[in-house]
Amino acid sequence: MQYQPSEIESKWQKRWAEERVAEIDVTAEGQKLYMLNMFPYPSGDLHVGHGRNYILGDAVYRYFRMQGRVALNPMGWDAFGLPAENAAIRRGTHPREWTLGNIERMKKQFARWGILYDWSKEIASCDPDYYRWNQWLFLQLYKRGLAYRGTAPVNWCPQDLTVLANEQVVDGRCERCGALVEQRELSQWFLKITEYADRLDAGLDTLEAWPEKVRLMQRNWIGRSIGADIEFPVPVLGRSIRIFTTRPDTVFGATFMVLAPEHPEVATLIEAAEDREEIEAWITNVRNQSALERQEKGKEGRFTGRTAVNPFTGEEIPIWLGNFVLPQYGTGAIMSVPAHDQRDFEFAKQFGLPIRVVVAPNQNEIPDASGLTEAFTFKDESGIAVNSPPIDGLPVPEAIETIIGVIEERGLGKGMVRYRLRDWLISRQRYWGTPIPMIYCEACGLVPVPEEQLPVTLPLDVPFTGREGNPLAKHSEFVNVACPACGAAARRETDTMDTFVDSSWYYLRFVTPRDTNQIFDSTIVNRWLPVDQYIGGIEHAILHLLYARFITRALYDMGLVAFEEPFASLFNQGMITKEGYRDPSEHMAWVGLNEVEWRDGKPYRGATELVAEVGKMSKSRFNVVPPDELIAKYGADTERVYTLFIAPPEKEAAWSDEGVIGAYRFLGRVWSMGVTILEAIQNQRSGEVRPVVTRKLHQTIDAVTGRVERFEFNTAISALMELSNTIGDALSSGGGAELREPYETLLKMLHPLAPHVTEELWSMFGNEALILTSGWPVADPELMKEDSVVIAVQVNGKLRGQVEVAAPPQEQQVMDAVFANEKIQQWVEGKEIVKKIYVPGKLVSLVVKDRK
RNA sequence: GCGAAAGUGGCGGAAUUGGCAGACGCGCUGGACUUAGGAUCCAGUGGCCCAAAGCCGUGUGGGUUCGAGUCCCACCUUUCGCACCA
């Protein structure tokens, strides 16, 4: 009887679906476990790279179930977003149809992988029953001043025709399509994530079960800086300009001031300048540049013709405008200390501005400012303040502390903590998203849609032209509305929300997904959350994970949840890469694309970038491996085992079509071994129970349990292969029915990895379904022990032989054996042992010297 | 530039607290069974060497130690993240 995966797999998949084995009652008793894979964007077909994520989650889920946990493992769809709209423009299908069709295909794919989700909890963010609560959440944030409309320079993607959040701009390009992002001054909706900057930063310390890398990335993104705000009086204005610095200890070296071209005082300052028009033209030019261009231009600046007073030295210092000063950070104004800041140094050199040294390695070794070739940027005790009367001689950290005291005492400013994080821009000028529930009334101004009128439903009959401007704005029935406050004719907001709003709270909805009265049931949510194990890609290290942490805190402050961190433990699986790309015509048929730009016979991504020939498996790289063929040939269990065996799951892994065969052979061997043992049972053929097998079995249970819990699936599988080899050896050398117990235990441990074939074999042995009945095996430490131990003996660091003694080894026995061994004897003969190092069970080291 | 992680056979990768480097698998070589083999099974597989003995081997150079892939110092390379954040 040969191993035939396809029949077995469809049989069990059908049974799991019919018996709804993964459905749970959230009010049931038991030790809960909330397992969650980041819900996907329904882009259509899934390839083996996606599979890694879900297969990993399923293996962990099945393991915890076997451990007896009441486990919630839901799945849903991050179903709003641009690709659906682009598909609509390209081929005339409605985004909804396109999305729902993709969801169906992906659900089938999950089933074919043998992944168990509780589909009774399924949610899709494009469903009005879901986005209604998205709108409700927005209104609560608005009430608390956490959602506001503001005008700011924002990132505009000219390809996707919408604004983007800062988090969605990568290297000056749109995260989705790769187009260069432009700056535009627009009035938009923001969420006030900055109000939570300190708590989001502090909370990172509590996330011990998160990868250090993600915590660090979030910390850098939030960018907490400690320093001081200092007022610099400007005589011509009759008021002062406030600057922020992290190095208030260098204030005596501030020889000029630089403002961002966007700074509000600029217009007044340059009013009387002779070259005002030239300066204004320059400012316009700088403001229209993207952040990337602005940086590539190098340092540019203009003198305003005005001065400010350094409050510590009393000197008048020139006020400059500089393209390197960011309007959004700090106060948009800096004091420039060229001697101790590289950027200031470059600016000073370029425009011939004075440089003064105020920090030195020590009091007697003050470098000459004119000889400097770069800024001196000591931040620790290796720098000493000089030429700075109240703090002379103090090391930098103390100098900072002291000078802040002086600043506050003299009323010149105050100690200050500032963040790099900026508010979250959530407006999108696109159709396929949650409508922002606001109304513009000429008389009443901004009026929120009353909660009882939610949801504001997305109309389905809108034209998709692909031209600039939201299709929603052209739908007059949607736009024209009576003001809820005064009843007069008013206009609806036509912007929709960033889809990251949808995904910032979906994990809360999964627990009570059909509740029509409230966003979620707080009591049940507080029982199930935080999520015990969250699994997803590192690409959300900042975006989704930061937003979710922010929204959870906002909900905490509203009293709706009792926790501030939504995800207790996080795991980032690595990407699957693949060399080369497939035959493009074959690929396009699979992807369903018909518009691709070609250059030099190679496909291009978007209109901007060359397709990489090796890298992340993605449609735009033409290198995907679709699972269908693979599953037809080897079965889903083989794909699962190979995917988990390929590399440690957190690491990037290169897909190898040849490597798959190893997993297939392994499962084939397990299968035929099972068949042979069954025959032995039927023929009542049995050998004696071998200690080698028992020992290997218990050692394997011990190893696999620990490795699965640490997500070390690659080595867990290798341990199972070793056990399988041991059982196979016993079988081919006269073993029989006595191997049933170790073999069945192997099946149990293999089940989370290869669920179909193990269920089939398990039932062939006359057992009830594994997933429903079995417990996880427990290792017996007594049976793990070896009867004897081989110990390596080193003499003066060289390996000179081995001795075998009974386990557990006793030092005296070991030494006796060492001296009884002729081979070792020759190295010790005539010498004196000056030291013995004895490592129980591992080795003995002897240090010898010539006897005198 | 700043920050982080990582360098082990032809390849993916193993190796608690320093303790027989290369587990497990792919590939390769040879063999068995076959009309056939891109199926299956068996054996071998870090290098030098016909072989054994032996020697050399974890990016490079030092160091600590009876003993270093593992610890320390310096350097090289790669990957990732941030990137004028004052």
Side-chain angles (χ1 to χ4, degrees):
Chain A
M1 201 163 55
Q2 273 293 311
Y3 171 42
Q4 301 281 2
S6 59
E7 281 168 44
I8 296 170
E9 291 181 359
S10 50
K11 170 183 159 188
W12 286 97
Q13 285 162 13
K14 199 167 156 234
R15 214 169 131 182
W16 293 329
E18 280 170 3
E19 295 183 17
R20 302 166 172 236
V21 294
E23 279 188 27
I24 63 154
D25 173 0
V26 288
T27 59
E29 296 287 310
Q31 198 193 353
K32 71 96 183 178
L33 180 100
Y34 189 174
M35 263 296 307
L36 188 62
N37 272 95
M38 288 180 186
F39 75 160
Y41 178 76
S43 56
D45 302 276
L46 293 163
H47 56 64
V48 295
H50 298 116
R52 192 182 203 189
N53 188 12
Y54 306 107
I55 290 165
L56 181 69
D58 190 63
V60 175
Y61 163 72
R62 286 176 185 263
Y63 166 76
F64 278 115
R65 260 194 84 141
M66 292 176 78
Q67 285 280 17
R69 304 287 287 269
V70 180
L72 173 62
N73 192 33
M75 181 43 69
W77 313 97
D78 188 10
F80 273 137
L82 264 178
E85 213 170 324
N86 290 340
I89 294 163
R90 214 162 45 223
R91 48 184 131 152
T93 42
H94 193 276
R96 186 166 178 277
E97 302 308 316
W98 185 84
T99 304
L100 297 183
N102 287 347
I103 288 175
E104 282 318 302
R105 290 221 298 285
M106 287 169 73
K107 280 177 89 162
K108 283 201 187 107
Q109 184 58 59
F110 286 145
R112 275 198 293 268
W113 274 324
I115 291 167
L116 299 182
Y117 289 123
D118 181 348
W119 290 112
S120 72
K121 311 281 190 296
E122 181 181 7
I123 53 180
S125 58
C126 64
D127 184 343
D129 289 339
Y130 183 86
Y131 68 69
R132 168 189 184 167
W133 299 109
N134 218 23
Q135 293 170 338
W136 181 86
L137 174 66
F138 178 88
L139 294 178
Q140 310 313 306
L141 295 169
Y142 181 74
K143 264 192 231 168
R144 283 167 177 75
L146 291 172
Y148 67 94
R149 196 164 170 86
T151 304
V154 296
N155 307 298
W156 172 263
C157 172
Q159 178 138 319
D160 291 342
L161 305 175
T162 183
V163 296
L164 301 168
N166 296 318
E167 289 80 1
Q168 288 158 353
V169 179
V170 178
D171 293 336
R173 289 171 184 275
C174 170
E175 179 224 16
R176 278 216 96 88
C177 72
L180 272 176
V181 167
E182 298 166 4
Q183 294 296 303
R184 290 196 180 181
E185 185 92 6
L186 292 170
S187 174
Q188 300 284 323
W189 286 100
F190 290 88
L191 296 187
K192 216 174 202 171
I193 191 171
T194 52
E195 192 156 312
Y196 287 82
D198 54 344
R199 283 163 69 185
L200 289 168
D201 183 73
L204 292 171
D205 293 333
T206 67
L207 296 174
E208 279 156 23
W210 277 40
E212 190 52 45
K213 182 178 181 179
V214 174
R215 293 203 279 169
L216 192 69
M217 281 169 71
Q218 290 215 359
R219 211 181 284 288
N220 291 340
W221 188 262
I222 296 167
R224 185 172 196 267
S225 291
I226 306 167
D229 276 6
I230 307 176
E231 303 286 343
F232 278 59
V234 180
V236 71
L237 292 176
R239 55 183 178 266
S240 59
I241 289 179
R242 180 182 298 173
I243 61 96
F244 173 68
T245 178
T246 55
R247 293 293 304 275
D249 60 308
T250 62
V251 68
F252 288 89
T255 48
F256 57 100
M257 176 185 255
V258 189
L259 307 184
E262 291 87 347
H263 195 280
E265 299 285 16
V266 171
T268 324
L269 287 170
I270 63 170
E271 227 162 31
E274 278 174 29
D275 51 351
R276 199 189 77 199
E277 281 180 23
E278 195 280 328
I279 298 178
E280 281 171 349
W282 174 78
I283 291 172
T284 311
N285 186 13
V286 172
R287 290 179 76 147
N288 287 339
Q289 286 168 1
S290 71
L292 200 70
E293 285 175 293
R294 205 158 152 169
Q295 192 173 339
E296 278 167 358
K297 292 265 178 189
K299 299 228 164 11
E300 288 182 2
R302 292 291 185 277
F303 179 45
T304 60
R306 302 298 188 180
T307 58
V309 178
N310 181 325
F312 278 85
T313 62
E315 284 172 318
E316 293 218 351
I317 58 172
I319 303 176
W320 281 69
L321 307 181
N323 67 343
F324 71 102
V325 179
L326 304 173
Q328 312 92 324
Y329 184 76
T331 61
I334 61 166
M335 65 173 200
S336 263
V337 185
H340 307 294
D341 182 287
Q342 189 57 27
R343 294 153 302 179
D344 296 347
F345 181 81
E346 285 165 23
F347 197 81
K349 280 286 176 196
Q350 196 167 328
F351 296 104
L353 295 161
I355 299 174
R356 181 181 305 143
V357 174
V358 291
V359 182
N362 62 65
Q363 289 283 52
N364 309 319
E365 201 185 309
I366 302 170
D368 183 29
S370 60
L372 289 181
T373 53
E374 59 176 3
F376 250 34
T377 52
F378 312 101
K379 277 179 277 200
D380 54 19
E381 282 73 14
S382 56
I384 307 288
V386 297
N387 297 329
S388 307
I391 52 173
D392 270 343
L394 293 178
V396 171
E398 275 174 60
I400 291 175
E401 218 183 294
T402 310
I403 198 78
I404 290 175
V406 176
I407 290 165
E408 291 183 347
E409 214 170 274
R410 298 192 197 165
L412 302 172
K414 59 179 181 191
M416 194 70 177
V417 176
R418 289 194 181 265
Y419 299 89
R420 182 184 171 280
L421 186 68
R422 279 170 243 155
D423 278 340
W424 174 14
L425 168 54
I426 59 155
S427 300
R428 294 294 180 273
Q429 289 72 49
R430 297 300 299 233
Y431 163 77
W432 193 233
T434 303
I436 294 175
M438 293 299 292
I439 290 167
Y440 298 94
C441 172
E442 289 212 1
C444 316
L446 272 175
V447 183
V449 173
E451 284 177 26
E452 61 276 12
Q453 286 179 25
L454 298 181
V456 175
T457 321
L458 206 53
L460 295 177
D461 52 339
V462 299
F464 297 103
T465 60
R467 265 176 254 126
E468 190 159 330
N470 186 340
L472 268 184
K474 293 162 196 150
H475 193 283
S476 58
E477 279 168 57
F478 179 81
V479 175
N480 299 311
V481 67
C483 168
C486 70
R491 291 187 70 252
R492 233 184 240 295
E493 171 63 79
T494 58
D495 281 359
T496 52
M497 290 184 213
D498 180 3
T499 59
F500 279 104
V501 180
D502 317 359
S503 57
S504 65
W505 62 279
Y506 76 102
Y507 45 90
L508 302 166
R509 184 71 181 169
F510 268 139
V511 178
T512 52
R514 306 285 169 256
D515 199 323
T516 50
N517 299 316
Q518 53 187 344
I519 186 167
F520 50 75
D521 183 318
S522 293
T523 312
I524 305 179
V525 160
N526 285 335
R527 180 183 165 214
W528 281 88
L529 278 275
V531 170
D532 293 275
Q533 183 62 60
Y534 201 29
I535 300 178
I538 188 82
E539 68 273 17
H540 289 114
I542 292 174
L543 291 154
H544 160 60
L545 291 169
L546 188 64
Y547 296 146
R549 295 181 62 230
F550 157 53
I551 292 295
T552 302
R553 279 173 172 73
L555 291 167
Y556 174 86
D557 290 349
M558 296 175 201
L560 290 172
V561 300
F563 46 89
E564 293 199 47
E565 289 294 346
F567 313 119
S569 177
L570 173 70
F571 185 86
N572 298 121
Q573 86 281 0
M575 217 175 263
I576 291 198
T577 60
K578 180 83 168 73
E579 266 183 56
Y581 46 86
R582 313 175 86 206
D583 169 23
S585 55
E586 182 197 332
H587 173 90
M588 291 206 305
W590 185 70
V591 177
L593 274 184
N594 48 21
E595 287 172 34
V596 173
E597 192 181 337
W598 294 84
R599 284 182 209 169
D600 305 330
K602 287 177 185 173
Y604 277 68
R605 179 170 75 149
T608 51
E609 211 176 297
L610 178 63
V611 172
E613 293 191 15
V614 57
K616 178 188 180 180
M617 213 175 266
S618 82
K619 287 182 179 179
S620 56
R621 281 202 173 84
F622 290 71
N623 63 353
V624 291
V625 177
D628 306 19
E629 248 174 77
L630 190 72
I631 290 176
K633 197 165 171 192
Y634 300 111
D637 283 335
T638 293
E639 186 189 337
R640 290 175 62 117
V641 170
Y642 174 65
T643 298
L644 293 170
F645 183 61
I646 185 170
E650 70 280 7
K651 271 194 71 172
E652 193 175 90
W655 185 268
S656 139
D657 292 326
E658 300 84 57
V660 175
I661 195 79
Y664 182 66
R665 282 183 194 145
F666 168 55
L667 295 179
R669 275 196 297 271
V670 171
W671 177 270
S672 50
M673 207 184 288
V675 172
T676 312
I677 293 173
L678 261 180
E679 281 167 6
I681 293 167
Q682 275 152 15
N683 303 334
Q684 303 195 345
R685 183 166 52 75
S686 184
E688 63 185 84
V689 177
R690 290 166 213 217
V692 200
V693 177
T694 311
R695 199 184 305 133
K696 189 72 183 174
L697 174 67
H698 286 267
Q699 288 171 344
T700 306
I701 296 170
D702 185 55
V704 171
T705 307
R707 289 173 186 182
V708 168
E709 298 221 341
R710 293 189 299 271
F711 282 52
E712 293 165 5
F713 284 101
N714 56 328
T715 53
I717 292 171
S718 76
L720 291 172
M721 285 172 166
E722 285 183 54
L723 175 61
S724 148
N725 290 344
T726 304
I727 296 173
D729 289 345
L731 203 54
S732 60
S733 59
E738 83 286 356
L739 292 167
R740 175 177 185 155
E741 194 216 321
Y743 179 76
E744 285 188 340
T745 311
L746 168 67
L747 289 183
K748 279 191 189 178
M749 292 190 282
L750 191 52
H751 177 259
L753 311 164
H756 313 85
V757 66
T758 49
E759 282 284 17
E760 181 68 17
L761 286 160
W762 187 252
S763 73
M764 280 160 59
F765 276 77
N767 299 307
E768 288 301 312
L770 255 171
I771 185 69
L772 297 176
T773 56
S774 80
W776 187 259
V778 178
D780 182 341
E782 279 305 309
L783 298 175
M784 280 164 61
K785 285 183 187 159
E786 310 276 344
D787 332 319
S788 67
V789 185
V790 176
I791 293 183
V793 182
Q794 286 184 352
V795 180
N796 279 352
K798 298 272 184 204
L799 189 69
R800 294 306 184 194
Q802 299 180 333
V803 295
E804 189 169 357
V805 295
Q810 303 295 322
E811 175 161 5
Q812 192 52 52
Q813 281 178 293
V814 176
M815 294 317 292
D816 289 348
V818 165
F819 290 112
N821 185 310
E822 280 177 33
K823 213 172 160 188
I824 301 166
Q825 198 81 59
Q826 62 178 345
W827 299 102
V828 187
E829 215 130 62
K831 305 207 168 145
E832 188 182 358
I833 295 180
V834 293
K835 205 168 162 190
K836 316 182 268 211
I837 296 107
Y838 174 65
V839 183
K842 300 233 169 124
L843 64 76
V844 164
S845 270
L846 304 174
V847 183
V848 300
K849 65 173 187 187
D850 289 330
R851 194 169 282 152
K852 284 173 187 161

